[in-house]
Amino acid sequence: MNGDEGRTADRPVAGGLRGTWDRLPWLVRSMVMWSACLVLVVAALYLLGRIAVLLAPLAIALAVTLFLTALLDPVTRLLRRLRLPASLAALLTVLLLLGVLFGTAALVWSLTAGQFRDLAGELDQGVQRTRDFVTTTLPVSEAQLDRLTEQARAGMDRSSPDPVSGARTAAEVAGSVLLSLVLLFFLLKDGRAMWHWVLRRISERNRAMAAAAGRAGWRTLGAYSRGTMMIALIDAAGIGLALVLLGVPLAFPLALITFIGAFVPIIGATVAGTVAVLVALAANGPGTALLVLAAVIAVQQTEGNLLEPLIMKRQVRLHPAVILVAVTAGTLVAGIAGAFVSVPIAAVAYRVVDTIQRYRQQAARQQALGLPDVAGPGPEAGPA
C-alpha cells in the first residue's frame, strides 16, 4: 500500500508539469524555446567576444592573416602553376606584399610628408567655420559650445593611454605584425594540407557538408577582400579627382583617408567624406564645400548601387542594417580593429550557415524521395 501510495503521489507531479506545458498555447511554447535558444547564442557570442578581447593581439593577427591569405591566394596559385615549389611561391607572395606596402608607404610619405601638418590646420579652420555657422544659425550660444567641446576634450584625455600603456600597445602591434607575416607564409604554403587534415577529423557523414561550407566561406572571404580593395581604390580615385578639379588643397592625403576608411563600410566612408568637406569649407568656403559634399555622395552612391553589386557579387552582400550592427558590435568589442574585421566575419558566418542549411534541406529532400544521400565534395574542396 505504501508503495502504491508513493507511486500515486508522484504521478500527479510529473503529469502536472507535463500537462501544464501541453496546455500552454503553441505560440507561448514557441516563444519560450526561441528565447532559450537566443539566450544560449548570445551567451556563447559574449564568451567568444570576451576571449577575443583577452587575446586581442592574437585574434587581430589571425583575422588579418586570413584576410591577407584570401587576398593573395590567387597570386600563390599562379606561381604554383609556373612549377615553383610551394615554399618559394609562398615566400615570393609575402615579399611581393611587403614590397607593395613599403613602396606605397614611401611614395605616400614623399608626397604628403609636409601636407598632413597643413591638413590639421585646415581641419581646425573648418571646425571654426562650422562653429560660427552653428552659433549664428541655431539657438546655441558660444558658451554652450565651449562647454560641450571641453567635455569632449576631457573625455578624450581620460581615454588616452599613458606612456607605459602606449609602449605596451606598440610592442603588441609589432608582435602581431610579425606573427601575421609568419602565419601568412605558412597558410599560403600549407593551407590546403591543413584544411585536409581538419576534414579527415570530421565524421564521414558530415565531411561533405563541412567541405562545402568551408569552400563557401573561403570564397566569400576572398571575394570580400579583393572587392573591398577594388572599391577602396575606386572611392579614393573618384573623390581625389573631384577634390583636384574643385581646387581643394591636400587632395592626396584626403584620398588616402578615403581609401583607408573604405575598409569600414558605411561609417568609414562617412567619416572620410566629412573630413573632405571640412577641409573644403576651410580652404575655399561654403560653395566649394557643398560641391565636395555632392561629389562625395555621388561617388558613394555610384559605388554602392552600381559598382559594389558588380564587384562583390550577391554572395558577399549584406543588408546595411546588418553591416551597421556588425560594425558597431565590432567597435564595442575591439575598437578600430573590431570595426575592420566585423563585416567580413559576419559575411563569412552568414555564408557558412546558409550553405549548411541548404545542404541539409537538399539531403532531406533526397531522403524523402528515397534517393541516395547528397554527394558532396571531398577534402580537395577546402578553403585554402
Side-chain angles (χ1 to χ4, degrees):
M1 286 295 293
N2 293 335
D4 295 338
E5 291 177 357
R7 285 192 295 271
T8 305
D10 292 341
R11 198 172 302 151
V13 177
L17 293 175
R18 181 174 300 176
T20 302
W21 174 259
D22 293 337
R23 285 194 298 270
L24 290 175
W26 68 269
L27 181 60
V28 175
R29 287 183 288 177
S30 299
M31 291 178 63
V32 170
M33 296 302 297
W34 281 107
S35 299
C37 294
L38 181 61
V39 169
L40 291 176
V41 170
V42 171
L45 292 177
Y46 176 78
L47 290 177
L48 290 176
R50 296 300 300 173
I51 294 173
V53 171
L54 293 175
L55 303 177
L58 177 59
I60 294 173
L62 290 175
V64 172
T65 301
L66 290 174
F67 187 90
L68 292 177
T69 305
L71 179 66
L72 298 173
D73 185 56
V75 179
T76 304
R77 283 187 292 173
L78 177 61
L79 294 176
R80 291 296 303 275
R81 292 193 190 101
L82 298 177
R83 305 291 183 178
L84 291 180
S87 300
L88 182 58
L91 180 60
L92 289 177
T93 304
V94 174
L95 292 178
L96 176 63
L97 172 66
L98 293 176
V100 171
L101 291 179
F102 283 110
T104 304
L107 177 62
V108 170
W109 178 259
S110 63
L111 294 176
T112 64
Q115 296 185 14
F116 275 102
R117 289 190 296 270
D118 299 334
L119 178 60
E122 297 287 351
L123 284 176
D124 289 337
Q125 295 181 25
V127 171
Q128 184 60 41
R129 287 197 177 189
T130 306
R131 173 192 176 92
D132 295 339
F133 174 79
V134 170
T135 55
T136 56
T137 306
L138 302 178
V140 179
S141 64
E142 292 188 4
Q144 291 174 331
L145 275 181
D146 290 336
R147 193 180 307 113
L148 292 175
T149 303
E150 289 299 326
Q151 291 176 356
R153 188 174 300 170
M156 294 179 63
D157 292 338
R158 287 193 300 268
S159 61
S160 60
D162 55 19
V164 176
S165 178
R168 184 172 63 249
T169 301
E172 290 178 353
V173 170
S176 297
V177 170
L178 181 60
L179 178 62
S180 295
L181 291 175
V182 175
L183 291 177
L184 176 62
F185 170 77
F186 284 115
L187 283 181
L188 291 174
K189 174 179 174 290
D190 300 322
R192 286 174 174 78
M194 295 177 183
W195 177 244
H196 297 166
W197 182 88
V198 171
L199 286 180
R200 285 194 294 269
R201 269 63 189 175
I202 300 175
S203 63
E204 187 174 356
R205 178 182 177 182
N206 297 321
R207 189 175 300 164
M209 181 177 64
R215 184 175 68 252
W218 187 250
R219 287 178 175 175
T220 299
L221 182 59
Y224 179 87
S225 59
R226 291 185 289 272
T228 302
M229 185 71 66
M230 294 178 63
I231 289 173
L233 288 173
I234 292 172
D235 283 352
I239 294 178
L241 179 61
L243 295 175
V244 171
L245 294 177
L246 293 173
V248 178
L250 310 173
F252 195 86
L254 293 173
L256 179 62
I257 293 174
T258 302
F259 174 79
I260 297 174
F263 287 90
V264 182
I266 300 178
I267 296 178
T270 303
V271 173
T274 302
V275 173
V277 172
L278 284 176
V279 172
L281 176 64
N284 298 354
T288 304
L290 290 176
L291 292 176
V292 170
L293 178 61
V296 169
I297 293 176
V299 170
Q300 292 179 359
Q301 289 299 314
T302 303
E303 170 255 307
N305 297 320
L306 179 62
L307 296 178
E308 185 176 358
L310 294 175
I311 295 174
M312 288 292 200
K313 308 299 183 185
R314 295 187 61 86
Q315 64 174 346
V316 187
R317 298 188 68 193
L318 295 174
H319 194 277
V322 177
I323 293 176
L324 282 174
V325 172
V327 172
T328 303
T331 304
L332 293 175
V333 171
I336 297 177
F340 275 93
V341 303
S342 57
V343 177
I345 290 176
V348 171
Y350 168 76
R351 185 53 52 188
V352 169
V353 172
D354 182 67
T355 301
I356 293 175
Q357 184 179 10
R358 291 174 181 271
Y359 195 94
R360 288 180 173 175
Q361 290 176 350
Q362 184 179 357
R365 287 194 297 268
Q366 296 281 357
Q367 186 176 5
L369 295 174
L371 300 176
D373 292 339
V374 180
E380 292 76 10

